[in-house]
Amino acid sequence: MNNLCQSFTDKLNKKLSSVKRRDLYIKRHRILRCYTMMLSSPPSKYQPFQQSYNMGSVPNGMQPTPYMNSMSIAAASNQVGFNNPVHQGYPMNHGHPAQMAAAAAAAVSPAINSPYAGMPTGVGISPNMALMLNRRSDKAYRRNYTHAKPPYSYISLITMALQSSQNKMMTLSEIYNWIMDLFPFYRQNQQRWQNSIRHSLSFNDCFVKVPRSADKPGKGSYWSLHPDAGNMFENGCYLRRQKRFKSDKKMKSSPNAEPGSPADHIGSSSPPPSLSNPGSVSSIPHDMQGSNYVDSDSENKTPDIAPGMSSTPQDIRYNQADINQGLPMSGSVQNENIEASSYSNRMPNQEHSENLLNVQQSVSNHDAPISADSPASSNAMSGLHTLTSVNEKNIENQQSNLPRLHQGTSQHPENRIGGHQDPHHDLYSQYAQATAYAAAVQQHNPFAAVAAAHHTFAPHPFSISSLMNVAEAQPQQQHPNQQQQSYPQAKDLRAYHEAVQYYNSGMNGFGGLVPPPINDGMPLHCPNTTGPPENPGSSAVSTPSPSSTSSLSQYTTAVHYPLQHSDQQQNDLRNVQNLDRPEDPAYYQGCVQAN
DNA sequence: GCCTGTTTAGGCTTTC
DNA sequence: GAAAGCCTAAACAGGC
C-alpha cells in the first residue's frame, strides 16, 4: 500500500513537474516570441534611444568615469531595468555607489526592490530576458533607461518646465535645472543640449521673452509660453507637437489684452504682475486645456462649461488670464480683486469666470477656514449657485459623450493615440471631473467644488501633471552622508519610464510593437473582469492617485489599447501575447502581477 | 570669462 | 519628393 502510494505520489510529482516545465516553457516561448517580434523591426534612427550611449563604451569622446564603470558593472549584471543609480550624489533610490551591488542584484527581483515596485507595466526584466537581449549584437539594447534620452523634444521639455512653474515663466537657468532635475540624461553633455534649448527658445515663436522686473534684478529674462501656443501638445502628451506654432508677428498686445495681462508684458519693460507676486497665479490644469473632443463649432457658442473644462484655447486663456489677474491663491480673501479683473473687451463667459473667481477667492486660503456664516462663504456659495445650472448641463453633455469610451477601436484621426489624441482619457477624465464638481455643488461645498474644478482626473500619463504628481507622491530619501545637492529633490522617473515604454511601444507611430506586459518574466494577471461600469454616472468615478495601481493600470490600458493598429497588427499582437484580453480599458483596472 | 540670446546652417526622420 | 518638425553645431553679440 505504501509502495502504491509512493508510486502514485512519484507519478503525480513527475506529472506536476512536467506540467510546470511545460507551462514554464510556454511562458518563455511566448515571451521570446513577443520580444523577437518586438526587436525584429529595426529601430528608427530617429528614436532618441539610439543617441544614448551604450554601456561599457565611451560616447562622443567623453572620458570614462567611475560612474560609467559602474554602469558597465550593472550591465554585466544583466541589469536592463531601472534600478541603476542615476548618479553619485543624486538622491535617487539606490543612488549611493555602495548600493550598486544591491541594485544590480535587485534587477532580478524588481517587483520587490525596485523603486518602481508595483508598476504593472513591465519595467523589470528577468535574467533570461536580459540574457536574450544581451545576445543581440546591437548594443543599443543594453542601455540603461535611466540614462536614455527622454522621448520628449526640447520644445516639449521647455513647455513642461514652463507649465510646471508657478508663474508659468522661468529663467533660462531655471529651465536648465528643471530639466536636469527631472531627467538625469541631461546632467551630462550640458553644453550640447543647453545650446539647443537656447536655440529652441529663440527660434520658436511659442516661447516669448518676458523682461525682468525692477525689483527682481538678475541675469537673463524670463521665458514664458505664448498664450496662443497653449494647445501645441493637444491633450497634454508631450512626446511631439502636432503642429508647430507660428506667430504672424512677435507677440504684441492683443486686442483683448488688458494692461497687466501676460500678453501685454511681452516685449514691454514693465513687469507682469506675477513677477512681483509670485504666488498669484493659478492655473487651469494643462491636461484639460487641450481637450478637444468638443465639437469644433463650440467656439461660437456660449460655453456651457465647468471651471477648467473649457473647450477652446480662447476660453482657457480668458479663464486663466482672469484668474491670473485677480485671484490670490495664497493669502487672505480679497474681494476687491474681482474688480481688478474687469476687462474692456468682455468675452461671453466672463460672468462664468467671475463666478469661478468668486468661489475660488473665497476658498483659496486653506490656512484660514471660512465659516459658514462668513461673508466669504456667502460669496463663495453665491458664485457656486450661479455655476450650478451651467454645470448640470455640462454634466449631461459629458454623459452623452461617455459611451464613446467603450466603443472600441476608432480610426478617426483625432482618436489616434499616435496623434497624441486619447479621447478615452479625455472623456473619462472630464466626466470624472464634472461628476465630482456636481457632487460638490450639490453638497454646497465650495471647497470641494473648486478642488474638483481644478483637479486633473487621470491626467495624460506623460503630461507634466503626471510627471510632477508622481514625483511628489514618492519623496526621495537622501543618504545621511550625502551632501546637499544642487537638485533639491530628484524626481521619480516612473512617468518618464512609462513614457519611454510608450514611445517604444509603437503606439505613437514610431514603429515597433507593443511590448508584452511582463514583469520579471511573468505575465500580468488581471483579476478584474467586471468590465466597464454599467452606470458611468454612478459613484464609480474615482480619483486615483497618479501613482496608484489604478492610475498606472489606466496607463497600461492606454499603451496596450490597439487603437491605431490595423486588424492584422492587432491579430498579430494577440497571437504574440496570446492573451485574448478584452479591449475594454476597464478590464485592466486593478491589474496586479501574477505570482 | 561666462552666461544669455540670436541667427544660420546642415542633417535626420516623419508625414503628406 | 517636398514639407514639416526636430536636433546639433557654430558664430556672434551683448550683458553681468
Side-chain angles (χ1 to χ4, degrees), chain A residues 306-380:
Chain A
M309 285 185 267
S310 302
S311 57
T312 68
Q314 287 76 15
D315 295 337
I316 292 294
R317 285 203 308 277
Y318 179 81
N319 286 343
Q320 189 154 0
D322 203 350
I323 294 167
N324 290 352
Q325 280 280 309
L327 178 63
M329 290 307 286
S330 60
S332 59
V333 176
Q334 298 176 10
N335 290 332
E336 61 269 22
N337 280 333
I338 297 175
E339 297 298 322
S341 67
S342 56
Y343 282 70
S344 55
N345 298 320
R346 297 193 163 222
M347 295 179 71
N349 59 342
Q350 180 192 13
E351 187 180 356
H352 175 87
S353 295
E354 288 187 350
N355 285 324
L356 170 61
L357 265 180
N358 221 355
V359 179
Q360 285 184 312
Q361 287 178 338
S362 302
V363 301
S364 61
N365 188 351
H366 297 290
D367 296 331
I370 304 168
S371 69
D373 300 324
S374 69
S377 175
S378 174
N379 192 24

Side-chain angles (χ1 to χ4, degrees), chain A residues 110-190:
Chain A
I112 297 173
N113 296 313
S114 166
Y116 312 105
M119 269 189 72
T121 53
V123 297
I125 192 165
S126 70
N128 287 338
M129 186 59 64
L131 185 64
M132 186 180 72
L133 293 178
N134 282 342
R135 284 174 183 161
R136 283 184 58 88
S137 58
D138 188 351
K139 294 180 182 177
Y141 287 95
R142 290 185 291 155
R143 60 207 159 212
N144 184 334
Y145 280 2
T146 313
H147 260 262
K149 186 173 184 178
Y152 306 106
S153 68
Y154 290 128
I155 297 170
S156 306
L157 292 172
I158 297 169
T159 302
M160 280 191 271
L162 296 177
Q163 288 286 349
S164 73
S165 165
Q166 195 175 24
N167 297 334
K168 299 293 177 277
M169 60 179 71
M170 279 183 171
T171 63
L172 183 63
S173 61
E174 286 172 346
I175 295 173
Y176 290 160
N177 288 332
W178 187 92
I179 293 173
M180 286 188 290
D181 191 9
L182 201 60
F183 301 107
F185 174 85
Y186 292 110
R187 293 168 192 169
Q188 57 190 353
N189 289 327
Q190 295 183 16

